[in-house]
PDB file of all heavy atoms in Angstrom:
ATOM      1  N   LYS A   1      96.147 -48.449 -38.577  1.00 80.00           N
ATOM      2  CA  LYS A   1      95.488 -47.396 -39.350  1.00 80.00           C
ATOM      3  C   LYS A   1      96.240 -47.131 -40.648  1.00 80.00           C
ATOM      4  O   LYS A   1      95.640 -47.001 -41.726  1.00 80.00           O
ATOM      5  CB  LYS A   1      95.399 -46.124 -38.515  1.00 80.00           C
ATOM      6  CG  LYS A   1      94.550 -45.032 -39.144  1.00 80.00           C
ATOM      7  CD  LYS A   1      94.409 -43.841 -38.210  1.00 80.00           C
ATOM      8  CE  LYS A   1      93.517 -42.767 -38.841  1.00 80.00           C
ATOM      9  NZ  LYS A   1      93.369 -41.593 -37.941  1.00 80.00           N
ATOM     10  N   ILE A   2      97.566 -47.055 -40.565  1.00 78.00           N
ATOM     11  CA  ILE A   2      98.384 -46.843 -41.764  1.00 78.00           C
ATOM     12  C   ILE A   2      98.270 -48.042 -42.703  1.00 78.00           C
ATOM     13  O   ILE A   2      98.146 -47.887 -43.924  1.00 78.00           O
ATOM     14  CB  ILE A   2      99.855 -46.599 -41.366  1.00 78.00           C
ATOM     15  CG1 ILE A   2      99.979 -45.289 -40.578  1.00 78.00           C
ATOM     16  CG2 ILE A   2     100.743 -46.562 -42.603  1.00 78.00           C
ATOM     17  CD1 ILE A   2     101.369 -45.037 -40.032  1.00 78.00           C
ATOM     18  N   GLN A   3      98.303 -49.237 -42.130  1.00 77.00           N
ATOM     19  CA  GLN A   3      98.187 -50.450 -42.943  1.00 77.00           C
ATOM     20  C   GLN A   3      96.841 -50.506 -43.648  1.00 77.00           C
ATOM     21  O   GLN A   3      96.761 -50.877 -44.829  1.00 77.00           O
ATOM     22  CB  GLN A   3      98.381 -51.681 -42.068  1.00 77.00           C
ATOM     23  CG  GLN A   3      98.450 -52.989 -42.834  1.00 77.00           C
ATOM     24  CD  GLN A   3      98.638 -54.180 -41.909  1.00 77.00           C
ATOM     25  OE1 GLN A   3      98.175 -54.166 -40.763  1.00 77.00           O
ATOM     26  NE2 GLN A   3      99.328 -55.200 -42.393  1.00 77.00           N
ATOM     27  N   HIS A   4      95.776 -50.124 -42.948  1.00 74.00           N
ATOM     28  CA  HIS A   4      94.450 -50.121 -43.556  1.00 74.00           C
ATOM     29  C   HIS A   4      94.368 -49.106 -44.686  1.00 74.00           C
ATOM     30  O   HIS A   4      93.736 -49.358 -45.720  1.00 74.00           O
ATOM     31  CB  HIS A   4      93.398 -49.805 -42.483  1.00 74.00           C
ATOM     32  CG  HIS A   4      91.992 -49.778 -43.015  1.00 74.00           C
ATOM     33  ND1 HIS A   4      91.397 -48.613 -43.481  1.00 74.00           N
ATOM     34  CD2 HIS A   4      91.068 -50.772 -43.181  1.00 74.00           C
ATOM     35  CE1 HIS A   4      90.174 -48.888 -43.895  1.00 74.00           C
ATOM     36  NE2 HIS A   4      89.945 -50.186 -43.726  1.00 74.00           N
ATOM     37  N   PHE A   5      95.045 -47.986 -44.532  1.00 77.00           N
ATOM     38  CA  PHE A   5      95.017 -46.970 -45.586  1.00 77.00           C
ATOM     39  C   PHE A   5      95.696 -47.480 -46.851  1.00 77.00           C
ATOM     40  O   PHE A   5      95.159 -47.348 -47.954  1.00 77.00           O
ATOM     41  CB  PHE A   5      95.708 -45.696 -45.101  1.00 77.00           C
ATOM     42  CG  PHE A   5      95.891 -44.667 -46.188  1.00 77.00           C
ATOM     43  CD1 PHE A   5      94.840 -43.868 -46.605  1.00 77.00           C
ATOM     44  CD2 PHE A   5      97.132 -44.520 -46.821  1.00 77.00           C
ATOM     45  CE1 PHE A   5      95.000 -42.934 -47.611  1.00 77.00           C
ATOM     46  CE2 PHE A   5      97.306 -43.585 -47.826  1.00 77.00           C
ATOM     47  CZ  PHE A   5      96.236 -42.785 -48.231  1.00 77.00           C
ATOM     48  N   PHE A   6      96.884 -48.094 -46.703  1.00 75.00           N
ATOM     49  CA  PHE A   6      97.641 -48.519 -47.879  1.00 75.00           C
ATOM     50  C   PHE A   6      97.086 -49.797 -48.509  1.00 75.00           C
ATOM     51  O   PHE A   6      97.282 -50.022 -49.704  1.00 75.00           O
ATOM     52  CB  PHE A   6      99.110 -48.737 -47.513  1.00 75.00           C
ATOM     53  CG  PHE A   6      99.913 -47.463 -47.494  1.00 75.00           C
ATOM     54  CD1 PHE A   6     100.175 -46.818 -46.296  1.00 75.00           C
ATOM     55  CD2 PHE A   6     100.388 -46.895 -48.658  1.00 75.00           C
ATOM     56  CE1 PHE A   6     100.903 -45.646 -46.264  1.00 75.00           C
ATOM     57  CE2 PHE A   6     101.110 -45.725 -48.646  1.00 75.00           C
ATOM     58  CZ  PHE A   6     101.369 -45.094 -47.438  1.00 75.00           C
ATOM     59  N   LEU A   7      96.409 -50.626 -47.737  1.00 77.00           N
ATOM     60  CA  LEU A   7      95.909 -51.890 -48.273  1.00 77.00           C
ATOM     61  C   LEU A   7      94.438 -51.847 -48.655  1.00 77.00           C
ATOM     62  O   LEU A   7      93.974 -52.720 -49.387  1.00 77.00           O
ATOM     63  CB  LEU A   7      96.132 -53.021 -47.251  1.00 77.00           C
ATOM     64  CG  LEU A   7      97.585 -53.346 -46.914  1.00 77.00           C
ATOM     65  CD1 LEU A   7      97.657 -54.471 -45.897  1.00 77.00           C
ATOM     66  CD2 LEU A   7      98.378 -53.706 -48.161  1.00 77.00           C
ATOM     67  N   VAL A   8      93.701 -50.853 -48.186  1.00 77.00           N
ATOM     68  CA  VAL A   8      92.268 -50.813 -48.463  1.00 77.00           C
ATOM     69  C   VAL A   8      91.854 -49.459 -49.032  1.00 77.00           C
ATOM     70  O   VAL A   8      91.431 -49.350 -50.191  1.00 77.00           O
ATOM     71  CB  VAL A   8      91.454 -51.120 -47.182  1.00 77.00           C
ATOM     72  CG1 VAL A   8      89.950 -51.047 -47.486  1.00 77.00           C
ATOM     73  CG2 VAL A   8      91.824 -52.480 -46.624  1.00 77.00           C
ATOM     74  N   GLN A   9      91.975 -48.415 -48.215  1.00 77.00           N
ATOM     75  CA  GLN A   9      91.437 -47.110 -48.602  1.00 77.00           C
ATOM     76  C   GLN A   9      92.104 -46.544 -49.847  1.00 77.00           C
ATOM     77  O   GLN A   9      91.448 -45.933 -50.700  1.00 77.00           O
ATOM     78  CB  GLN A   9      91.590 -46.132 -47.436  1.00 77.00           C
ATOM     79  CG  GLN A   9      90.947 -44.767 -47.682  1.00 77.00           C
ATOM     80  CD  GLN A   9      91.100 -43.862 -46.478  1.00 77.00           C
ATOM     81  OE1 GLN A   9      91.495 -44.299 -45.400  1.00 77.00           O
ATOM     82  NE2 GLN A   9      90.785 -42.585 -46.666  1.00 77.00           N
ATOM     83  N   LEU A  10      93.412 -46.745 -49.969  1.00 77.00           N
ATOM     84  CA  LEU A  10      94.151 -46.189 -51.106  1.00 77.00           C
ATOM     85  C   LEU A  10      93.641 -46.731 -52.428  1.00 77.00           C
ATOM     86  O   LEU A  10      93.675 -46.030 -53.451  1.00 77.00           O
ATOM     87  CB  LEU A  10      95.645 -46.501 -50.946  1.00 77.00           C
ATOM     88  CG  LEU A  10      96.590 -45.985 -52.028  1.00 77.00           C
ATOM     89  CD1 LEU A  10      96.569 -44.464 -52.086  1.00 77.00           C
ATOM     90  CD2 LEU A  10      98.015 -46.475 -51.782  1.00 77.00           C
ATOM     91  N   TRP A  11      93.148 -47.965 -52.457  1.00 77.00           N
ATOM     92  CA  TRP A  11      92.745 -48.612 -53.696  1.00 77.00           C
ATOM     93  C   TRP A  11      91.244 -48.542 -53.943  1.00 77.00           C
ATOM     94  O   TRP A  11      90.797 -48.760 -55.057  1.00 77.00           O
ATOM     95  CB  TRP A  11      93.202 -50.073 -53.679  1.00 77.00           C
ATOM     96  CG  TRP A  11      94.666 -50.171 -53.422  1.00 77.00           C
ATOM     97  CD1 TRP A  11      95.281 -50.396 -52.227  1.00 77.00           C
ATOM     98  CD2 TRP A  11      95.723 -49.985 -54.368  1.00 77.00           C
ATOM     99  NE1 TRP A  11      96.646 -50.376 -52.362  1.00 77.00           N
ATOM    100  CE2 TRP A  11      96.941 -50.126 -53.674  1.00 77.00           C
ATOM    101  CE3 TRP A  11      95.748 -49.729 -55.737  1.00 77.00           C
ATOM    102  CZ2 TRP A  11      98.172 -50.015 -54.300  1.00 77.00           C
ATOM    103  CZ3 TRP A  11      96.974 -49.619 -56.369  1.00 77.00           C
ATOM    104  CH2 TRP A  11      98.157 -49.761 -55.649  1.00 77.00           C
ATOM    105  N   ARG A  12      90.471 -48.246 -52.908  1.00 77.00           N
ATOM    106  CA  ARG A  12      89.028 -48.115 -53.081  1.00 77.00           C
ATOM    107  C   ARG A  12      88.614 -46.715 -53.520  1.00 77.00           C
ATOM    108  O   ARG A  12      87.479 -46.515 -53.936  1.00 77.00           O
ATOM    109  CB  ARG A  12      88.317 -48.466 -51.773  1.00 77.00           C
ATOM    110  CG  ARG A  12      88.361 -49.953 -51.437  1.00 77.00           C
ATOM    111  CD  ARG A  12      87.576 -50.230 -50.160  1.00 77.00           C
ATOM    112  NE  ARG A  12      87.548 -51.663 -49.853  1.00 77.00           N
ATOM    113  CZ  ARG A  12      86.960 -52.180 -48.778  1.00 77.00           C
ATOM    114  NH1 ARG A  12      86.350 -51.371 -47.909  1.00 77.00           N
ATOM    115  NH2 ARG A  12      86.974 -53.481 -48.573  1.00 77.00           N
ATOM    116  N   GLU A  13      89.499 -45.761 -53.386  1.00 74.00           N
ATOM    117  CA  GLU A  13      89.171 -44.378 -53.724  1.00 74.00           C
ATOM    118  C   GLU A  13      88.898 -44.236 -55.223  1.00 74.00           C
ATOM    119  O   GLU A  13      89.704 -44.656 -56.054  1.00 74.00           O
ATOM    120  CB  GLU A  13      90.327 -43.459 -53.318  1.00 74.00           C
ATOM    121  CG  GLU A  13      90.070 -41.983 -53.500  1.00 74.00           C
ATOM    122  CD  GLU A  13      89.178 -41.404 -52.420  1.00 74.00           C
ATOM    123  OE1 GLU A  13      88.950 -42.096 -51.407  1.00 74.00           O
ATOM    124  OE2 GLU A  13      88.727 -40.259 -52.590  1.00 74.00           O
ATOM    125  N   ASP A  14      87.772 -43.648 -55.560  1.00 74.00           N
ATOM    126  CA  ASP A  14      87.420 -43.383 -56.961  1.00 74.00           C
ATOM    127  C   ASP A  14      88.036 -42.046 -57.358  1.00 74.00           C
ATOM    128  O   ASP A  14      87.611 -40.979 -56.898  1.00 74.00           O
ATOM    129  CB  ASP A  14      85.907 -43.345 -57.125  1.00 74.00           C
ATOM    130  CG  ASP A  14      85.499 -43.193 -58.591  1.00 74.00           C
ATOM    131  OD1 ASP A  14      86.387 -43.292 -59.466  1.00 74.00           O
ATOM    132  OD2 ASP A  14      84.299 -42.984 -58.857  1.00 74.00           O
ATOM    133  N   LEU A  15      89.068 -42.111 -58.210  1.00 73.00           N
ATOM    134  CA  LEU A  15      89.814 -40.908 -58.561  1.00 73.00           C
ATOM    135  C   LEU A  15      89.205 -40.141 -59.733  1.00 73.00           C
ATOM    136  O   LEU A  15      89.676 -39.059 -60.066  1.00 73.00           O
ATOM    137  CB  LEU A  15      91.266 -41.278 -58.896  1.00 73.00           C
ATOM    138  CG  LEU A  15      92.044 -41.997 -57.779  1.00 73.00           C
ATOM    139  CD1 LEU A  15      93.465 -42.282 -58.231  1.00 73.00           C
ATOM    140  CD2 LEU A  15      92.039 -41.175 -56.501  1.00 73.00           C
ATOM    141  N   THR A  16      88.192 -40.692 -60.364  1.00 73.00           N
ATOM    142  CA  THR A  16      87.614 -40.017 -61.535  1.00 73.00           C
ATOM    143  C   THR A  16      86.915 -38.718 -61.151  1.00 73.00           C
ATOM    144  O   THR A  16      86.887 -37.768 -61.939  1.00 73.00           O
ATOM    145  CB  THR A  16      86.616 -40.953 -62.239  1.00 73.00           C
ATOM    146  OG1 THR A  16      85.611 -41.374 -61.296  1.00 73.00           O
ATOM    147  CG2 THR A  16      87.339 -42.174 -62.792  1.00 73.00           C
ATOM    148  N   GLU A  17      86.366 -38.680 -59.942  1.00 73.00           N
ATOM    149  CA  GLU A  17      85.645 -37.490 -59.515  1.00 73.00           C
ATOM    150  C   GLU A  17      86.416 -36.681 -58.475  1.00 73.00           C
ATOM    151  O   GLU A  17      85.901 -35.683 -57.956  1.00 73.00           O
ATOM    152  CB  GLU A  17      84.277 -37.887 -58.926  1.00 73.00           C
ATOM    153  CG  GLU A  17      83.377 -38.615 -59.927  1.00 73.00           C
ATOM    154  CD  GLU A  17      82.045 -38.998 -59.321  1.00 73.00           C
ATOM    155  OE1 GLU A  17      81.857 -38.721 -58.108  1.00 73.00           O
ATOM    156  OE2 GLU A  17      81.200 -39.542 -60.049  1.00 73.00           O
ATOM    157  N   ALA A  18      87.649 -37.086 -58.167  1.00 74.00           N
ATOM    158  CA  ALA A  18      88.441 -36.368 -57.173  1.00 74.00           C
ATOM    159  C   ALA A  18      89.071 -35.121 -57.787  1.00 74.00           C
ATOM    160  O   ALA A  18      89.258 -35.031 -59.008  1.00 74.00           O
ATOM    161  CB  ALA A  18      89.528 -37.292 -56.615  1.00 74.00           C
ATOM    162  N   ASN A  19      89.430 -34.157 -56.948  1.00 80.00           N
ATOM    163  CA  ASN A  19      90.100 -32.951 -57.433  1.00 80.00           C
ATOM    164  C   ASN A  19      91.515 -33.295 -57.880  1.00 80.00           C
ATOM    165  O   ASN A  19      92.069 -34.334 -57.471  1.00 80.00           O
ATOM    166  CB  ASN A  19      90.113 -31.868 -56.350  1.00 80.00           C
ATOM    167  CG  ASN A  19      90.865 -32.307 -55.103  1.00 80.00           C
ATOM    168  OD1 ASN A  19      92.087 -32.441 -55.102  1.00 80.00           O
ATOM    169  ND2 ASN A  19      90.124 -32.551 -54.020  1.00 80.00           N
ATOM    170  N   PRO A  20      92.127 -32.463 -58.724  1.00 82.00           N
ATOM    171  CA  PRO A  20      93.452 -32.818 -59.293  1.00 82.00           C
ATOM    172  C   PRO A  20      94.509 -33.116 -58.253  1.00 82.00           C
ATOM    173  O   PRO A  20      95.315 -34.053 -58.413  1.00 82.00           O
ATOM    174  CB  PRO A  20      93.802 -31.583 -60.126  1.00 82.00           C
ATOM    175  CG  PRO A  20      92.489 -30.957 -60.462  1.00 82.00           C
ATOM    176  CD  PRO A  20      91.602 -31.217 -59.286  1.00 82.00           C
ATOM    177  N   VAL A  21      94.556 -32.347 -57.164  1.00 84.00           N
ATOM    178  CA  VAL A  21      95.591 -32.568 -56.147  1.00 84.00           C
ATOM    179  C   VAL A  21      95.421 -33.936 -55.489  1.00 84.00           C
ATOM    180  O   VAL A  21      96.384 -34.691 -55.334  1.00 84.00           O
ATOM    181  CB  VAL A  21      95.540 -31.454 -55.086  1.00 84.00           C
ATOM    182  CG1 VAL A  21      96.569 -31.735 -53.979  1.00 84.00           C
ATOM    183  CG2 VAL A  21      95.818 -30.093 -55.726  1.00 84.00           C
ATOM    184  N   ARG A  22      94.196 -34.251 -55.121  1.00 82.00           N
ATOM    185  CA  ARG A  22      93.936 -35.547 -54.494  1.00 82.00           C
ATOM    186  C   ARG A  22      94.178 -36.689 -55.472  1.00 82.00           C
ATOM    187  O   ARG A  22      94.733 -37.738 -55.099  1.00 82.00           O
ATOM    188  CB  ARG A  22      92.492 -35.586 -53.986  1.00 82.00           C
ATOM    189  CG  ARG A  22      92.158 -36.835 -53.171  1.00 82.00           C
ATOM    190  CD  ARG A  22      90.738 -36.764 -52.646  1.00 82.00           C
ATOM    191  NE  ARG A  22      90.394 -37.907 -51.827  1.00 82.00           N
ATOM    192  CZ  ARG A  22      90.661 -38.035 -50.536  1.00 82.00           C
ATOM    193  NH1 ARG A  22      91.298 -37.046 -49.910  1.00 82.00           N
ATOM    194  NH2 ARG A  22      90.317 -39.105 -49.857  1.00 82.00           N
ATOM    195  N   ARG A  23      93.786 -36.495 -56.743  1.00 82.00           N
ATOM    196  CA  ARG A  23      93.961 -37.545 -57.745  1.00 82.00           C
ATOM    197  C   ARG A  23      95.438 -37.852 -57.956  1.00 82.00           C
ATOM    198  O   ARG A  23      95.851 -39.012 -57.938  1.00 82.00           O
ATOM    199  CB  ARG A  23      93.313 -37.114 -59.062  1.00 82.00           C
ATOM    200  CG  ARG A  23      93.438 -38.169 -60.156  1.00 82.00           C
ATOM    201  CD  ARG A  23      92.523 -37.874 -61.326  1.00 82.00           C
ATOM    202  NE  ARG A  23      92.809 -36.594 -61.948  1.00 82.00           N
ATOM    203  CZ  ARG A  23      92.033 -35.518 -61.874  1.00 82.00           C
ATOM    204  NH1 ARG A  23      90.898 -35.569 -61.186  1.00 82.00           N
ATOM    205  NH2 ARG A  23      92.358 -34.389 -62.479  1.00 82.00           N
ATOM    206  N   TRP A  24      96.251 -36.808 -58.158  1.00 85.00           N
ATOM    207  CA  TRP A  24      97.678 -37.033 -58.379  1.00 85.00           C
ATOM    208  C   TRP A  24      98.371 -37.546 -57.122  1.00 85.00           C
ATOM    209  O   TRP A  24      99.303 -38.348 -57.200  1.00 85.00           O
ATOM    210  CB  TRP A  24      98.341 -35.749 -58.866  1.00 85.00           C
ATOM    211  CG  TRP A  24      98.018 -35.448 -60.293  1.00 85.00           C
ATOM    212  CD1 TRP A  24      97.157 -34.502 -60.761  1.00 85.00           C
ATOM    213  CD2 TRP A  24      98.535 -36.121 -61.442  1.00 85.00           C
ATOM    214  NE1 TRP A  24      97.100 -34.529 -62.134  1.00 85.00           N
ATOM    215  CE2 TRP A  24      97.947 -35.510 -62.590  1.00 85.00           C
ATOM    216  CE3 TRP A  24      99.440 -37.164 -61.621  1.00 85.00           C
ATOM    217  CZ2 TRP A  24      98.226 -35.921 -63.882  1.00 85.00           C
ATOM    218  CZ3 TRP A  24      99.724 -37.574 -62.923  1.00 85.00           C
ATOM    219  CH2 TRP A  24      99.111 -36.955 -64.023  1.00 85.00           C
ATOM    220  N   GLY A  25      97.913 -37.081 -55.957  1.00 86.00           N
ATOM    221  CA  GLY A  25      98.500 -37.568 -54.714  1.00 86.00           C
ATOM    222  C   GLY A  25      98.254 -39.051 -54.510  1.00 86.00           C
ATOM    223  O   GLY A  25      99.165 -39.804 -54.140  1.00 86.00           O
ATOM    224  N   PHE A  26      97.017 -39.504 -54.761  1.00 82.00           N
ATOM    225  CA  PHE A  26      96.706 -40.924 -54.599  1.00 82.00           C
ATOM    226  C   PHE A  26      97.446 -41.762 -55.642  1.00 82.00           C
ATOM    227  O   PHE A  26      97.907 -42.878 -55.339  1.00 82.00           O
ATOM    228  CB  PHE A  26      95.192 -41.133 -54.711  1.00 82.00           C
ATOM    229  CG  PHE A  26      94.487 -41.091 -53.386  1.00 82.00           C
ATOM    230  CD1 PHE A  26      94.370 -39.902 -52.682  1.00 82.00           C
ATOM    231  CD2 PHE A  26      93.962 -42.243 -52.831  1.00 82.00           C
ATOM    232  CE1 PHE A  26      93.725 -39.864 -51.465  1.00 82.00           C
ATOM    233  CE2 PHE A  26      93.316 -42.221 -51.599  1.00 82.00           C
ATOM    234  CZ  PHE A  26      93.202 -41.013 -50.909  1.00 82.00           C
ATOM    235  N   ARG A  27      97.550 -41.254 -56.863  1.00 84.00           N
ATOM    236  CA  ARG A  27      98.284 -42.004 -57.889  1.00 84.00           C
ATOM    237  C   ARG A  27      99.751 -42.145 -57.516  1.00 84.00           C
ATOM    238  O   ARG A  27     100.357 -43.213 -57.714  1.00 84.00           O
ATOM    239  CB  ARG A  27      98.138 -41.304 -59.239  1.00 84.00           C
ATOM    240  CG  ARG A  27      96.760 -41.482 -59.879  1.00 84.00           C
ATOM    241  CD  ARG A  27      96.667 -40.734 -61.189  1.00 84.00           C
ATOM    242  NE  ARG A  27      95.359 -40.967 -61.821  1.00 84.00           N
ATOM    243  CZ  ARG A  27      94.949 -40.351 -62.923  1.00 84.00           C
ATOM    244  NH1 ARG A  27      95.748 -39.465 -63.535  1.00 84.00           N
ATOM    245  NH2 ARG A  27      93.762 -40.610 -63.436  1.00 84.00           N
ATOM    246  N   LEU A  28     100.325 -41.077 -56.982  1.00 85.00           N
ATOM    247  CA  LEU A  28     101.728 -41.135 -56.564  1.00 85.00           C
ATOM    248  C   LEU A  28     101.915 -42.137 -55.428  1.00 85.00           C
ATOM    249  O   LEU A  28     102.872 -42.927 -55.437  1.00 85.00           O
ATOM    250  CB  LEU A  28     102.199 -39.747 -56.135  1.00 85.00           C
ATOM    251  CG  LEU A  28     103.648 -39.654 -55.635  1.00 85.00           C
ATOM    252  CD1 LEU A  28     104.622 -40.072 -56.726  1.00 85.00           C
ATOM    253  CD2 LEU A  28     103.961 -38.244 -55.140  1.00 85.00           C
ATOM    254  N   LEU A  29     101.006 -42.135 -54.464  1.00 86.00           N
ATOM    255  CA  LEU A  29     101.105 -43.079 -53.355  1.00 86.00           C
ATOM    256  C   LEU A  29     100.944 -44.519 -53.842  1.00 86.00           C
ATOM    257  O   LEU A  29     101.615 -45.430 -53.343  1.00 86.00           O
ATOM    258  CB  LEU A  29     100.044 -42.760 -52.304  1.00 86.00           C
ATOM    259  CG  LEU A  29     100.285 -41.506 -51.457  1.00 86.00           C
ATOM    260  CD1 LEU A  29      99.120 -41.261 -50.520  1.00 86.00           C
ATOM    261  CD2 LEU A  29     101.584 -41.618 -50.665  1.00 86.00           C
ATOM    262  N   ARG A  30     100.067 -44.729 -54.815  1.00 85.00           N
ATOM    263  CA  ARG A  30      99.904 -46.076 -55.362  1.00 85.00           C
ATOM    264  C   ARG A  30     101.181 -46.556 -56.038  1.00 85.00           C
ATOM    265  O   ARG A  30     101.605 -47.709 -55.862  1.00 85.00           O
ATOM    266  CB  ARG A  30      98.742 -46.098 -56.346  1.00 85.00           C
ATOM    267  CG  ARG A  30      97.366 -45.981 -55.695  1.00 85.00           C
ATOM    268  CD  ARG A  30      96.267 -45.936 -56.745  1.00 85.00           C
ATOM    269  NE  ARG A  30      94.943 -45.828 -56.135  1.00 85.00           N
ATOM    270  CZ  ARG A  30      93.807 -45.741 -56.822  1.00 85.00           C
ATOM    271  NH1 ARG A  30      93.850 -45.752 -58.159  1.00 85.00           N
ATOM    272  NH2 ARG A  30      92.651 -45.643 -56.191  1.00 85.00           N
ATOM    273  N   ILE A  31     101.798 -45.666 -56.821  1.00 87.00           N
ATOM    274  CA  ILE A  31     103.041 -46.040 -57.506  1.00 87.00           C
ATOM    275  C   ILE A  31     104.145 -46.323 -56.494  1.00 87.00           C
ATOM    276  O   ILE A  31     104.894 -47.306 -56.615  1.00 87.00           O
ATOM    277  CB  ILE A  31     103.461 -44.935 -58.485  1.00 87.00           C
ATOM    278  CG1 ILE A  31     102.444 -44.844 -59.632  1.00 87.00           C
ATOM    279  CG2 ILE A  31     104.853 -45.194 -59.034  1.00 87.00           C
ATOM    280  CD1 ILE A  31     102.717 -43.698 -60.584  1.00 87.00           C
ATOM    281  N   LEU A  32     104.260 -45.464 -55.466  1.00 87.00           N
ATOM    282  CA  LEU A  32     105.282 -45.675 -54.446  1.00 87.00           C
ATOM    283  C   LEU A  32     105.052 -46.995 -53.707  1.00 87.00           C
ATOM    284  O   LEU A  32     106.001 -47.705 -53.373  1.00 87.00           O
ATOM    285  CB  LEU A  32     105.286 -44.507 -53.454  1.00 87.00           C
ATOM    286  CG  LEU A  32     105.769 -43.161 -54.005  1.00 87.00           C
ATOM    287  CD1 LEU A  32     105.639 -42.073 -52.945  1.00 87.00           C
ATOM    288  CD2 LEU A  32     107.210 -43.253 -54.500  1.00 87.00           C
ATOM    289  N   TYR A  33     103.782 -47.318 -53.477  1.00 86.00           N
ATOM    290  CA  TYR A  33     103.481 -48.574 -52.781  1.00 86.00           C
ATOM    291  C   TYR A  33     103.904 -49.782 -53.611  1.00 86.00           C
ATOM    292  O   TYR A  33     104.553 -50.708 -53.090  1.00 86.00           O
ATOM    293  CB  TYR A  33     101.990 -48.661 -52.452  1.00 86.00           C
ATOM    294  CG  TYR A  33     101.582 -50.007 -51.905  1.00 86.00           C
ATOM    295  CD1 TYR A  33     101.785 -50.315 -50.563  1.00 86.00           C
ATOM    296  CD2 TYR A  33     101.031 -50.981 -52.738  1.00 86.00           C
ATOM    297  CE1 TYR A  33     101.430 -51.565 -50.063  1.00 86.00           C
ATOM    298  CE2 TYR A  33     100.680 -52.224 -52.248  1.00 86.00           C
ATOM    299  CZ  TYR A  33     100.884 -52.515 -50.906  1.00 86.00           C
ATOM    300  OH  TYR A  33     100.551 -53.751 -50.421  1.00 86.00           O
ATOM    301  N   VAL A  34     103.545 -49.809 -54.906  1.00 86.00           N
ATOM    302  CA  VAL A  34     103.885 -50.976 -55.724  1.00 86.00           C
ATOM    303  C   VAL A  34     105.394 -51.069 -55.941  1.00 86.00           C
ATOM    304  O   VAL A  34     105.949 -52.176 -56.024  1.00 86.00           O
ATOM    305  CB  VAL A  34     103.134 -50.946 -57.078  1.00 86.00           C
ATOM    306  CG1 VAL A  34     101.635 -51.038 -56.857  1.00 86.00           C
ATOM    307  CG2 VAL A  34     103.469 -49.694 -57.883  1.00 86.00           C
ATOM    308  N   LEU A  35     106.077 -49.917 -56.008  1.00 87.00           N
ATOM    309  CA  LEU A  35     107.536 -49.954 -56.145  1.00 87.00           C
ATOM    310  C   LEU A  35     108.175 -50.521 -54.876  1.00 87.00           C
ATOM    311  O   LEU A  35     109.106 -51.330 -54.940  1.00 87.00           O
ATOM    312  CB  LEU A  35     108.077 -48.555 -56.428  1.00 87.00           C
ATOM    313  CG  LEU A  35     107.787 -47.980 -57.820  1.00 87.00           C
ATOM    314  CD1 LEU A  35     108.221 -46.527 -57.899  1.00 87.00           C
ATOM    315  CD2 LEU A  35     108.486 -48.795 -58.908  1.00 87.00           C
TER     316      LEU A  35
END
């Protein structure tokens, strides 16, 4: 479940229409993942 979130769900999420907290949270998780 965690692997599916970081490899699929995290990158399919459309952040343009998300609320600020969710948008910044997903961006932070993406940066942490690539680092």
